[in-house]
């Protein structure tokens, strides 16, 4: 293997740059030429592919976002689009590909592997932590730190006015960010898509806390469980609380990656290149217990991460 390429695709996350840097430098250290594909599958179809040198990834590990840019491409979902992408890989002599992204991007990687025989290793990049085959994805730790900083700040203003704050965090099908940030920020309640919630019982619980002398309440809502605005209205109507809503939105995706994300992305990038050199393909590199492991993309994309019931129990017990 002489030439490999790396791309970031789908939703961006902090740590993607650190992963690209690791792929580029590990590749060069092992005698490979490493190409960067701009804007994911869109750029691959448009042949926006450039040779990257070590200096191109200097000063990159600490930057959020992705300097290769990310994109979504409907055209790549078609056979025509895929043929164009494969044609460009072949025209550039690229023998191995590292795809960094979420479930959608990894599905694209699986197709390149299964349908066209392209050697591909995926890396999990998604702040939602919804990807099977890794205990944690690139970007999750940074997003959690960002959420907690925001909740800490909101907590202070909430205390000053005896207010109830509903804070909406990202997580379409997965309440991981909401659950972990609720635990880490000491929130009174958390509402996640995996668990059916009863608004009256949450309101009653908060009322008891107010009677006991608590000055404020914070409820974390995962976006997939419902709109914080709608839930907030019910809090106001049923509970009679002075309610405020904050939707954290895209600030959760930004910012400099945490030390954990920098090192995770670096380890995964290195493993991806070494995996390709060893002949691995159609797999995703992820973090197991402490070690990096490879899971077939067919498994990654058909199995679902379980909600950590222990963490759910901890969140319930500590918010009483
Ligand atoms: P993420 O990777 O963050 O989950 P998306 O779901 O938007 O983001 O997927 C990113 C890109 O991956 C899509 O724009 C598309 O080009 C490609 N992709 C997603 N799903 C498929 C699919 N079923 N077949 C082929 N390509 C796909």
């Amino acid at each position: 293997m002489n030439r490999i390429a790396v791309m970031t695709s789908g939703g961006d996350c902090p740590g993607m740059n650190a992963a690209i840097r690791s792929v580029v430098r590990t590749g060069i250290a092992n005698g490979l030429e490493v190409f960067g594909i701009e804007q994911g599958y869109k750029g691959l179809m448009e042949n926006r592919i450039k040779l990257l040198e070590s200096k191109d990834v200097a000063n990159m590990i600490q930057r959020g976002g992705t300097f290769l840019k990310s994109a979504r491409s409907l055209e790549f979902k078609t056979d025509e689009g895929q043929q164009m992408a494969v044609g460009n890989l072949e025209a550039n002599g690229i023998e191995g590909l590292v795809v960094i992204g979420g479930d959608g991007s990894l599905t694209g990687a699986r197709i390149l592997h299964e349908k066209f025989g392209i050697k591909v290793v995926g890396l999990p990049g998604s702040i939602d932590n919804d990807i099977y085959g890794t205990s944690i994805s690139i970007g999750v730790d940074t997003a959690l730190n960002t959420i907690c900083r925001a909740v800490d700040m909101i907590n202070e203003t909430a205390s000053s006015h005896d207010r109830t704050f509903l804070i909406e965090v990202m997580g379409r099908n997965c309440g991981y960010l909401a659950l972990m940030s609720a635990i880490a920020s000491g929130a009174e309640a958390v509402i996640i898509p995996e668990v059916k919630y009863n608004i009256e019982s949450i309101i009653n619980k908060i009322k008891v806390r107010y009677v006991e002398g608590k000055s404020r309440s914070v409820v974390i809502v995962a976006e997939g469980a419902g709109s914080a605005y709608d839930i907030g209205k019910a809090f106001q109507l049923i509970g009679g609380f002075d309610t405020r809503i904050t939707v954290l939105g895209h600030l959760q995706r930004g910012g400099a990656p945490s030390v954990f994300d920098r090192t995770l992305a670096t380890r995964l990038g290195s493993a991806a290149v070494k995996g390709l050199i060893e002949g691995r393909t159609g797999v995703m590199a992820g973090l197991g217990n402490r070690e990096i492991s490879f899971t077939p993309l067919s498994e990654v994309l058909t199995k679902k991460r379980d909600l950590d019931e222990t963490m759910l129990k901890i969140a319930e017990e500590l918010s009483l």
Side-chain angles (χ1 to χ4, degrees):
M1 182 167 288
N2 295 311
R3 283 184 173 184
I4 62 168
V6 57
M7 67 154 84
T8 48
S9 165
D12 66 309
C13 63
M16 280 183 158
N17 278 327
I20 299 166
R21 170 183 178 271
S22 176
V23 169
V24 170
R25 294 212 170 148
T26 306
I28 293 170
N30 286 275
L32 304 179
E33 283 183 317
V34 185
F35 288 73
I37 302 167
E38 290 176 344
Q39 291 198 313
Y41 295 114
K42 182 171 184 286
L44 180 55
M45 288 183 306
E46 293 167 3
N47 203 24
R48 276 186 285 116
I49 302 174
K50 60 183 181 188
L51 182 66
L52 294 175
E53 293 175 28
S54 185
K55 66 175 170 45
D56 294 321
V57 291
N59 228 349
M60 220 32 106
I61 194 166
Q62 76 279 22
R63 287 201 207 162
T66 159
F67 82 96
L68 285 178
K69 303 209 181 297
S70 191
R72 293 197 155 98
S73 163
L74 281 179
E75 205 184 346
F76 182 72
K77 292 188 176 181
T78 66
D79 188 58
E80 241 181 9
Q82 291 161 10
Q83 299 278 1
M84 254 157 49
V86 171
N88 286 332
L89 284 173
E90 284 168 358
N92 287 284
I94 291 163
E95 299 153 278
L97 177 65
V98 179
V99 175
I100 310 163
D103 273 344
S105 305
L106 297 174
T107 303
R110 183 184 178 187
I111 289 169
L112 287 177
H113 163 68
E114 288 180 357
K115 197 166 151 189
F116 300 95
I118 303 290
K119 294 193 175 69
V120 54
V121 174
L123 297 185
S126 155
I127 65 164
D128 289 359
N129 212 23
D130 55 352
I131 302 174
Y132 183 87
T134 187
S135 53
I136 191 159
S137 295
I138 297 167
V140 174
D141 183 67
T142 306
L144 275 177
N145 279 290
T146 304
I147 293 168
C148 278
R149 267 201 309 279
V151 177
D152 288 349
M153 286 192 261
I154 288 168
N155 243 323
E156 285 172 11
T157 164
S159 304
S160 310
H161 296 279
D162 292 356
R163 278 177 179 152
T164 302
F165 264 88
L166 282 100
I167 303 171
E168 186 179 305
V169 302
M170 282 188 173
R172 269 174 297 176
N173 309 306
C174 177
Y176 184 88
L177 282 181
L179 179 57
M180 300 306 277
S181 63
I183 291 173
S185 64
E188 274 59 41
V190 58
I191 298 177
I192 56 176
E194 294 91 336
V195 180
K196 222 170 165 243
Y197 66 93
N198 178 321
I199 204 144
E200 275 94 3
S201 76
I202 298 174
I203 288 171
N204 287 338
K205 183 174 135 187
I206 290 173
K207 275 191 170 162
V208 170
R209 306 307 310 273
Y210 280 140
V211 171
E212 286 170 357
K214 194 149 200 177
S215 63
R216 54 101 196 116
S217 283
V218 167
V219 179
I220 312 275
V221 181
E223 64 179 339
S227 150
Y229 282 99
D230 295 340
I231 299 170
K233 269 185 207 141
F235 266 66
Q236 220 149 7
L237 282 173
I238 304 170
F241 299 147
D242 185 11
T243 307
R244 295 290 184 278
I245 314 295
T246 302
V247 177
L248 293 181
H250 277 79
L251 72 84
Q252 295 163 91
R253 278 192 200 274
S258 64
V259 169
F260 182 88
D261 273 328
R262 294 179 200 194
T263 51
L264 175 67
T266 300
R267 290 176 73 190
L268 290 177
S270 165
V273 174
K274 294 197 173 135
L276 282 172
I277 292 171
E278 288 161 8
R280 289 184 197 270
T281 176
V283 292
M284 183 191 80
L287 184 65
N289 206 357
R290 291 176 70 93
E291 304 298 323
I292 303 299
S293 58
F294 292 91
T295 309
L297 285 168
S298 54
E299 206 177 315
V300 169
L301 294 162
T302 47
K303 293 193 173 166
K304 210 173 143 8
R305 277 181 67 96
D306 287 332
L307 178 75
D308 189 336
E309 297 288 342
T310 314
M311 296 313 273
L312 190 60
K313 186 92 184 120
I314 288 174
E316 279 166 6
E317 288 183 349
L318 268 66
S319 64
L320 282 178

